[in-house]
Amino acid sequence: MRILMLGNSLTTANHMPDMLAELLTAEVRVHARGGARLAEHLNPKTRNGALTQAALANEAWDFVVMQEMSHGPATSPTAYARSVASLSEAAKAAGAQPVIYGTWPYRAGCAKLVKLGMSHDDMSLRMAEAFAQAAADSGALLADVAAPFRAGSADELYAADGVHPSPAGSRLAALVLAETMGKGIRPW
């Protein structure tokens, strides 16, 4: 199994792609940059865009995993949906199944939530809606990693910054992604 992961530091934190590769006995390649949006992977003038476009045009993949910038689905759902749709089309044209990596809202009380003018619950709801709609519209699988982060006792899943995953959070992400790709689950 070959997996191409497109994302940013939420994808690469704690070497999560290595965990996923081990769980699925798969080859996992990552195109990521801290703070990157999925739109970057559509632009061949960027480093990640050039790498992603070449990988989709010239290599065989079983899955293409798409992870948006941390608050993008909540703050820019239309732009997010456009990027997912375009990347899903490119993945399918390359013979791969697109997968949305549904990340989590910021931890309740996180200073970045205040900057966004949202509560944890508001961000959670907006993200869940954006992920479900993008998956339904694009035919992508949805790996809903956010669900356990939304649970009331999820603090151990967050790193100290309230945005990134702890090692346990990354391990959970790898497990949810592996389950979704292993069984082709469409939780939406």
Side-chain angles (χ1 to χ4, degrees):
M1 178 184 300
R2 296 189 77 224
I3 301 167
L4 177 61
M5 298 189 81
L6 313 176
N8 54 51
S9 61
L10 298 183
T11 292
T12 60
N14 307 302
H15 307 283
M16 188 275 288
D18 294 338
M19 296 176 201
L20 180 62
E22 183 178 326
L23 286 167
L24 292 174
T25 315
E27 176 190 344
V28 177
R29 185 173 315 155
V30 180
H31 296 173
R33 175 187 65 74
R37 290 186 176 264
L38 287 175
E40 183 177 314
H41 296 279
L42 294 164
N43 182 353
K45 293 181 181 180
T46 67
R47 182 180 185 279
N48 276 330
L51 289 170
T52 298
Q53 297 304 311
L56 290 173
N58 302 318
E59 297 182 57
W61 302 98
D62 296 296
F63 296 96
V64 175
V65 177
M66 302 169 286
Q67 181 259 308
E68 180 60 280
M69 190 264 298
S70 64
H71 64 77
T75 58
S76 303
T78 303
Y80 169 68
R82 272 195 310 267
S83 294
V84 168
S86 295
L87 285 167
S88 291
E89 284 180 29
K92 289 175 188 175
Q97 171 64 55
V99 178
I100 292 173
Y101 175 4
T103 56
W104 45 90
Y106 297 164
R107 183 176 51 212
C110 176
K112 289 194 174 192
L113 275 172
V114 175
K115 288 182 182 179
L116 292 176
M118 286 185 217
S119 70
H120 171 82
D121 291 342
D122 186 36
M123 186 176 187
S124 180
L125 178 63
R126 290 181 190 199
M127 291 177 75
E129 289 173 350
F131 294 141
Q133 190 65 56
D137 291 348
S138 68
L141 299 175
L142 173 55
D144 189 10
V145 178
F149 277 81
R150 289 190 296 264
S153 61
D155 283 345
E156 69 277 0
L157 300 176
Y158 288 94
D161 67 1
V163 174
H164 290 86
S166 68
S170 291
R171 179 73 177 165
L172 179 68
L175 289 167
V176 172
L177 284 161
E179 179 75 11
T180 302
M181 289 184 274
K183 294 186 179 177
I185 297 169
R186 292 181 184 264
W188 50 268

PDB file of all heavy atoms in Angstrom, residues 103-126:
ATOM      1  N   THR A 103      -9.071  16.900  11.357  1.00  0.00           N
ATOM      2  CA  THR A 103      -8.363  17.270  12.580  1.00  0.00           C
ATOM      3  C   THR A 103      -9.326  17.886  13.595  1.00  0.00           C
ATOM      4  O   THR A 103     -10.509  18.018  13.351  1.00  0.00           O
ATOM      5  CB  THR A 103      -7.201  18.221  12.267  1.00  0.00           C
ATOM      6  OG1 THR A 103      -7.705  19.359  11.556  1.00  0.00           O
ATOM      7  CG2 THR A 103      -6.143  17.519  11.428  1.00  0.00           C
ATOM      8  N   TRP A 104      -8.822  18.289  14.711  1.00  0.00           N
ATOM      9  CA  TRP A 104      -9.550  18.653  15.914  1.00  0.00           C
ATOM     10  C   TRP A 104      -9.632  20.162  16.106  1.00  0.00           C
ATOM     11  O   TRP A 104      -8.797  20.920  15.614  1.00  0.00           O
ATOM     12  CB  TRP A 104      -8.841  18.024  17.112  1.00  0.00           C
ATOM     13  CG  TRP A 104      -7.349  18.241  16.991  1.00  0.00           C
ATOM     14  CD1 TRP A 104      -6.624  19.294  17.462  1.00  0.00           C
ATOM     15  CD2 TRP A 104      -6.424  17.410  16.286  1.00  0.00           C
ATOM     16  NE1 TRP A 104      -5.298  19.165  17.098  1.00  0.00           N
ATOM     17  CE2 TRP A 104      -5.151  18.011  16.371  1.00  0.00           C
ATOM     18  CE3 TRP A 104      -6.543  16.199  15.583  1.00  0.00           C
ATOM     19  CZ2 TRP A 104      -4.010  17.462  15.796  1.00  0.00           C
ATOM     20  CZ3 TRP A 104      -5.405  15.663  15.014  1.00  0.00           C
ATOM     21  CH2 TRP A 104      -4.154  16.286  15.129  1.00  0.00           C
ATOM     22  N   PRO A 105     -10.617  20.599  16.900  1.00  0.00           N
ATOM     23  CA  PRO A 105     -10.653  22.012  17.276  1.00  0.00           C
ATOM     24  C   PRO A 105      -9.557  22.285  18.307  1.00  0.00           C
ATOM     25  O   PRO A 105      -9.033  21.355  18.930  1.00  0.00           O
ATOM     26  CB  PRO A 105     -12.039  22.168  17.911  1.00  0.00           C
ATOM     27  CG  PRO A 105     -12.325  20.812  18.469  1.00  0.00           C
ATOM     28  CD  PRO A 105     -11.704  19.838  17.497  1.00  0.00           C
ATOM     29  N   TYR A 106      -9.239  23.546  18.476  1.00  0.00           N
ATOM     30  CA  TYR A 106      -8.269  23.901  19.515  1.00  0.00           C
ATOM     31  C   TYR A 106      -8.847  23.531  20.882  1.00  0.00           C
ATOM     32  O   TYR A 106     -10.067  23.539  21.083  1.00  0.00           O
ATOM     33  CB  TYR A 106      -7.949  25.385  19.482  1.00  0.00           C
ATOM     34  CG  TYR A 106      -7.299  25.878  18.206  1.00  0.00           C
ATOM     35  CD1 TYR A 106      -7.265  27.229  17.912  1.00  0.00           C
ATOM     36  CD2 TYR A 106      -6.722  25.005  17.282  1.00  0.00           C
ATOM     37  CE1 TYR A 106      -6.672  27.713  16.753  1.00  0.00           C
ATOM     38  CE2 TYR A 106      -6.123  25.480  16.125  1.00  0.00           C
ATOM     39  CZ  TYR A 106      -6.111  26.831  15.870  1.00  0.00           C
ATOM     40  OH  TYR A 106      -5.527  27.299  14.726  1.00  0.00           O
ATOM     41  N   ARG A 107      -7.966  23.215  21.805  1.00  0.00           N
ATOM     42  CA  ARG A 107      -8.394  22.836  23.163  1.00  0.00           C
ATOM     43  C   ARG A 107      -9.140  24.007  23.805  1.00  0.00           C
ATOM     44  O   ARG A 107      -8.771  25.175  23.628  1.00  0.00           O
ATOM     45  CB  ARG A 107      -7.190  22.456  24.021  1.00  0.00           C
ATOM     46  CG  ARG A 107      -7.573  21.991  25.424  1.00  0.00           C
ATOM     47  CD  ARG A 107      -6.402  21.511  26.251  1.00  0.00           C
ATOM     48  NE  ARG A 107      -5.358  22.501  26.238  1.00  0.00           N
ATOM     49  CZ  ARG A 107      -4.054  22.215  26.297  1.00  0.00           C
ATOM     50  NH1 ARG A 107      -3.651  20.974  26.372  1.00  0.00           N
ATOM     51  NH2 ARG A 107      -3.165  23.164  26.282  1.00  0.00           N
ATOM     52  N   ALA A 108     -10.177  23.699  24.553  1.00  0.00           N
ATOM     53  CA  ALA A 108     -10.926  24.730  25.275  1.00  0.00           C
ATOM     54  C   ALA A 108      -9.958  25.538  26.136  1.00  0.00           C
ATOM     55  O   ALA A 108      -9.079  24.984  26.788  1.00  0.00           O
ATOM     56  CB  ALA A 108     -12.004  24.082  26.142  1.00  0.00           C
ATOM     57  N   GLY A 109     -10.089  26.845  26.089  1.00  0.00           N
ATOM     58  CA  GLY A 109      -9.217  27.728  26.851  1.00  0.00           C
ATOM     59  C   GLY A 109      -7.951  28.129  26.125  1.00  0.00           C
ATOM     60  O   GLY A 109      -7.180  28.938  26.632  1.00  0.00           O
ATOM     61  N   CYS A 110      -7.715  27.595  24.938  1.00  0.00           N
ATOM     62  CA  CYS A 110      -6.513  27.918  24.158  1.00  0.00           C
ATOM     63  C   CYS A 110      -6.557  29.388  23.718  1.00  0.00           C
ATOM     64  O   CYS A 110      -7.578  29.877  23.233  1.00  0.00           O
ATOM     65  CB  CYS A 110      -6.442  27.000  22.944  1.00  0.00           C
ATOM     66  SG  CYS A 110      -5.079  27.332  21.818  1.00  0.00           S
ATOM     67  N   ALA A 111      -5.434  30.078  23.868  1.00  0.00           N
ATOM     68  CA  ALA A 111      -5.369  31.495  23.496  1.00  0.00           C
ATOM     69  C   ALA A 111      -5.684  31.719  22.021  1.00  0.00           C
ATOM     70  O   ALA A 111      -6.227  32.761  21.650  1.00  0.00           O
ATOM     71  CB  ALA A 111      -3.990  32.058  23.834  1.00  0.00           C
ATOM     72  N   LYS A 112      -5.371  30.749  21.181  1.00  0.00           N
ATOM     73  CA  LYS A 112      -5.649  30.914  19.744  1.00  0.00           C
ATOM     74  C   LYS A 112      -7.145  30.924  19.457  1.00  0.00           C
ATOM     75  O   LYS A 112      -7.578  31.499  18.466  1.00  0.00           O
ATOM     76  CB  LYS A 112      -4.943  29.833  18.939  1.00  0.00           C
ATOM     77  CG  LYS A 112      -3.439  30.042  18.919  1.00  0.00           C
ATOM     78  CD  LYS A 112      -2.776  29.198  17.866  1.00  0.00           C
ATOM     79  CE  LYS A 112      -1.299  29.564  17.800  1.00  0.00           C
ATOM     80  NZ  LYS A 112      -0.652  29.002  16.647  1.00  0.00           N
ATOM     81  N   LEU A 113      -7.948  30.284  20.298  1.00  0.00           N
ATOM     82  CA  LEU A 113      -9.400  30.357  20.133  1.00  0.00           C
ATOM     83  C   LEU A 113      -9.884  31.789  20.327  1.00  0.00           C
ATOM     84  O   LEU A 113     -10.751  32.262  19.582  1.00  0.00           O
ATOM     85  CB  LEU A 113     -10.112  29.449  21.141  1.00  0.00           C
ATOM     86  CG  LEU A 113     -10.274  27.997  20.775  1.00  0.00           C
ATOM     87  CD1 LEU A 113     -10.823  27.207  21.959  1.00  0.00           C
ATOM     88  CD2 LEU A 113     -11.158  27.822  19.559  1.00  0.00           C
ATOM     89  N   VAL A 114      -9.317  32.464  21.314  1.00  0.00           N
ATOM     90  CA  VAL A 114      -9.690  33.854  21.571  1.00  0.00           C
ATOM     91  C   VAL A 114      -9.369  34.712  20.347  1.00  0.00           C
ATOM     92  O   VAL A 114     -10.179  35.533  19.919  1.00  0.00           O
ATOM     93  CB  VAL A 114      -8.972  34.388  22.838  1.00  0.00           C
ATOM     94  CG1 VAL A 114      -9.251  35.860  23.051  1.00  0.00           C
ATOM     95  CG2 VAL A 114      -9.374  33.572  24.054  1.00  0.00           C
ATOM     96  N   LYS A 115      -8.194  34.496  19.750  1.00  0.00           N
ATOM     97  CA  LYS A 115      -7.810  35.251  18.552  1.00  0.00           C
ATOM     98  C   LYS A 115      -8.775  35.013  17.396  1.00  0.00           C
ATOM     99  O   LYS A 115      -9.026  35.899  16.592  1.00  0.00           O
ATOM    100  CB  LYS A 115      -6.390  34.893  18.113  1.00  0.00           C
ATOM    101  CG  LYS A 115      -5.320  35.442  19.010  1.00  0.00           C
ATOM    102  CD  LYS A 115      -3.942  35.082  18.492  1.00  0.00           C
ATOM    103  CE  LYS A 115      -2.867  35.591  19.422  1.00  0.00           C
ATOM    104  NZ  LYS A 115      -1.531  35.225  18.952  1.00  0.00           N
ATOM    105  N   LEU A 116      -9.318  33.786  17.303  1.00  0.00           N
ATOM    106  CA  LEU A 116     -10.270  33.470  16.240  1.00  0.00           C
ATOM    107  C   LEU A 116     -11.681  33.943  16.572  1.00  0.00           C
ATOM    108  O   LEU A 116     -12.549  33.966  15.694  1.00  0.00           O
ATOM    109  CB  LEU A 116     -10.305  31.958  15.988  1.00  0.00           C
ATOM    110  CG  LEU A 116      -9.072  31.317  15.382  1.00  0.00           C
ATOM    111  CD1 LEU A 116      -9.255  29.807  15.290  1.00  0.00           C
ATOM    112  CD2 LEU A 116      -8.767  31.902  14.014  1.00  0.00           C
ATOM    113  N   GLY A 117     -11.917  34.297  17.825  1.00  0.00           N
ATOM    114  CA  GLY A 117     -13.247  34.723  18.246  1.00  0.00           C
ATOM    115  C   GLY A 117     -14.237  33.574  18.288  1.00  0.00           C
ATOM    116  O   GLY A 117     -15.425  33.751  18.021  1.00  0.00           O
ATOM    117  N   MET A 118     -13.750  32.378  18.617  1.00  0.00           N
ATOM    118  CA  MET A 118     -14.599  31.193  18.663  1.00  0.00           C
ATOM    119  C   MET A 118     -14.436  30.480  19.996  1.00  0.00           C
ATOM    120  O   MET A 118     -13.397  30.576  20.632  1.00  0.00           O
ATOM    121  CB  MET A 118     -14.177  30.181  17.584  1.00  0.00           C
ATOM    122  CG  MET A 118     -14.532  30.524  16.202  1.00  0.00           C
ATOM    123  SD  MET A 118     -14.075  29.123  15.137  1.00  0.00           S
ATOM    124  CE  MET A 118     -13.527  30.032  13.710  1.00  0.00           C
ATOM    125  N   SER A 119     -15.460  29.733  20.348  1.00  0.00           N
ATOM    126  CA  SER A 119     -15.342  28.805  21.467  1.00  0.00           C
ATOM    127  C   SER A 119     -14.892  27.459  20.913  1.00  0.00           C
ATOM    128  O   SER A 119     -14.958  27.220  19.699  1.00  0.00           O
ATOM    129  CB  SER A 119     -16.693  28.646  22.163  1.00  0.00           C
ATOM    130  OG  SER A 119     -17.595  27.936  21.319  1.00  0.00           O
ATOM    131  N   HIS A 120     -14.488  26.589  21.800  1.00  0.00           N
ATOM    132  CA  HIS A 120     -14.109  25.230  21.410  1.00  0.00           C
ATOM    133  C   HIS A 120     -15.280  24.543  20.705  1.00  0.00           C
ATOM    134  O   HIS A 120     -15.113  23.920  19.657  1.00  0.00           O
ATOM    135  CB  HIS A 120     -13.683  24.441  22.658  1.00  0.00           C
ATOM    136  CG  HIS A 120     -13.483  22.985  22.435  1.00  0.00           C
ATOM    137  ND1 HIS A 120     -12.320  22.467  21.915  1.00  0.00           N
ATOM    138  CD2 HIS A 120     -14.302  21.930  22.639  1.00  0.00           C
ATOM    139  CE1 HIS A 120     -12.426  21.161  21.822  1.00  0.00           C
ATOM    140  NE2 HIS A 120     -13.622  20.802  22.253  1.00  0.00           N
ATOM    141  N   ASP A 121     -16.464  24.674  21.279  1.00  0.00           N
ATOM    142  CA  ASP A 121     -17.643  24.022  20.701  1.00  0.00           C
ATOM    143  C   ASP A 121     -17.993  24.588  19.328  1.00  0.00           C
ATOM    144  O   ASP A 121     -18.363  23.844  18.424  1.00  0.00           O
ATOM    145  CB  ASP A 121     -18.841  24.137  21.643  1.00  0.00           C
ATOM    146  CG  ASP A 121     -18.669  23.303  22.907  1.00  0.00           C
ATOM    147  OD1 ASP A 121     -17.817  22.387  22.912  1.00  0.00           O
ATOM    148  OD2 ASP A 121     -19.387  23.579  23.887  1.00  0.00           O
ATOM    149  N   ASP A 122     -17.868  25.912  19.173  1.00  0.00           N
ATOM    150  CA  ASP A 122     -18.157  26.532  17.879  1.00  0.00           C
ATOM    151  C   ASP A 122     -17.166  26.057  16.818  1.00  0.00           C
ATOM    152  O   ASP A 122     -17.556  25.677  15.711  1.00  0.00           O
ATOM    153  CB  ASP A 122     -18.120  28.056  18.013  1.00  0.00           C
ATOM    154  CG  ASP A 122     -18.564  28.775  16.745  1.00  0.00           C
ATOM    155  OD1 ASP A 122     -19.476  28.267  16.053  1.00  0.00           O
ATOM    156  OD2 ASP A 122     -18.002  29.850  16.452  1.00  0.00           O
ATOM    157  N   MET A 123     -15.880  26.049  17.161  1.00  0.00           N
ATOM    158  CA  MET A 123     -14.873  25.583  16.213  1.00  0.00           C
ATOM    159  C   MET A 123     -15.106  24.121  15.869  1.00  0.00           C
ATOM    160  O   MET A 123     -15.010  23.718  14.705  1.00  0.00           O
ATOM    161  CB  MET A 123     -13.466  25.789  16.766  1.00  0.00           C
ATOM    162  CG  MET A 123     -12.368  25.451  15.778  1.00  0.00           C
ATOM    163  SD  MET A 123     -10.732  25.821  16.459  1.00  0.00           S
ATOM    164  CE  MET A 123      -9.718  25.521  15.011  1.00  0.00           C
ATOM    165  N   SER A 124     -15.441  23.327  16.867  1.00  0.00           N
ATOM    166  CA  SER A 124     -15.701  21.908  16.657  1.00  0.00           C
ATOM    167  C   SER A 124     -16.851  21.699  15.683  1.00  0.00           C
ATOM    168  O   SER A 124     -16.744  20.906  14.738  1.00  0.00           O
ATOM    169  CB  SER A 124     -16.017  21.253  18.005  1.00  0.00           C
ATOM    170  OG  SER A 124     -16.280  19.888  17.831  1.00  0.00           O
ATOM    171  N   LEU A 125     -17.943  22.405  15.886  1.00  0.00           N
ATOM    172  CA  LEU A 125     -19.110  22.266  15.021  1.00  0.00           C
ATOM    173  C   LEU A 125     -18.794  22.705  13.594  1.00  0.00           C
ATOM    174  O   LEU A 125     -19.134  22.014  12.631  1.00  0.00           O
ATOM    175  CB  LEU A 125     -20.279  23.076  15.576  1.00  0.00           C
ATOM    176  CG  LEU A 125     -21.553  23.052  14.745  1.00  0.00           C
ATOM    177  CD1 LEU A 125     -22.124  21.644  14.663  1.00  0.00           C
ATOM    178  CD2 LEU A 125     -22.581  24.010  15.338  1.00  0.00           C
ATOM    179  N   ARG A 126     -18.139  23.844  13.448  1.00  0.00           N
ATOM    180  CA  ARG A 126     -17.789  24.337  12.105  1.00  0.00           C
ATOM    181  C   ARG A 126     -16.890  23.360  11.360  1.00  0.00           C
ATOM    182  O   ARG A 126     -17.065  23.123  10.168  1.00  0.00           O
ATOM    183  CB  ARG A 126     -17.102  25.696  12.204  1.00  0.00           C
ATOM    184  CG  ARG A 126     -18.005  26.822  12.620  1.00  0.00           C
ATOM    185  CD  ARG A 126     -17.220  28.106  12.655  1.00  0.00           C
ATOM    186  NE  ARG A 126     -17.949  29.188  13.254  1.00  0.00           N
ATOM    187  CZ  ARG A 126     -17.645  30.469  13.076  1.00  0.00           C
ATOM    188  NH1 ARG A 126     -16.606  30.803  12.323  1.00  0.00           N
ATOM    189  NH2 ARG A 126     -18.351  31.410  13.659  1.00  0.00           N
TER     190      ARG A 126
END
